[in-house]
Amino acid sequence: MTRSPLDRVRREIDAVDAALASLLARRHRLVTRAARLKASSNLAIVDAERQEAVLSNARRSAELHGLPIELVNRIWPAMIDFWVSYQNSLSQPTGTLPSASGAGFNRRAPSPEPLR
């Protein structure tokens, strides 16, 4: 059976979505490590200068790759908000984490890994 050009493009989109999920999972692990380092150094979770640097870096990368800046302006603040909430949740006594959808808190926090 011959697949249409649209089917092929959709398969490629699915592959890109899988790669994005993998990269977001990697970022999530790094944010978790950063949260633990902040906690062990008594640093604030929110760092406005760092947040602005993250947004600036994303905008530069978007320009480099021909991605609309508006996409960065919508997605990155949402990611930052999610991970700030996540980091805050790690320091809560209940140990709950925001769900993957960002709606509410529904999972137990993982046991902290020892810092090395």
Side-chain angles (χ1 to χ4, degrees):
M1 174 175 180
T2 307
R3 297 207 182 249
S4 73
L6 179 57
D7 288 337
R8 287 190 289 273
V9 169
R10 286 178 173 164
R11 279 198 321 255
E12 286 187 51
I13 289 171
D14 291 345
V16 169
D17 287 348
L20 285 170
S22 175
L23 289 171
L24 288 170
R26 180 177 173 199
R27 192 181 201 286
H28 186 73
R29 289 188 299 272
L30 291 168
V31 167
T32 301
R33 285 177 50 198
R36 290 185 179 124
L37 291 168
K38 289 176 190 178
S40 68
S41 299
N42 291 319
L43 296 173
I45 289 170
V46 175
D47 179 341
E49 287 182 30
R50 175 61 184 150
Q51 287 182 357
E52 189 51 46
V54 167
L55 289 169
S56 293
N57 291 339
R59 289 179 185 122
R60 269 193 303 279
S61 289
E63 287 177 358
L64 201 74
H65 295 285
L67 190 64
I69 297 299
E70 181 58 26
L71 187 60
V72 169
N73 291 339
R74 289 184 187 190
I75 292 174
W76 264 258
M79 289 191 320
I80 289 168
D81 288 347
F82 176 85
W83 276 305
V84 165
S85 293
Y86 170 77
Q87 289 182 69
N88 280 321
S89 74
L90 290 177
S91 64
Q92 299 303 313
T94 58
T96 55
L97 305 178
S99 70
S101 69
F105 297 85
N106 67 359
R107 295 187 321 166
R108 296 282 309 148
S111 299
E113 296 174 14
L115 296 175
R116 294 172 199 198

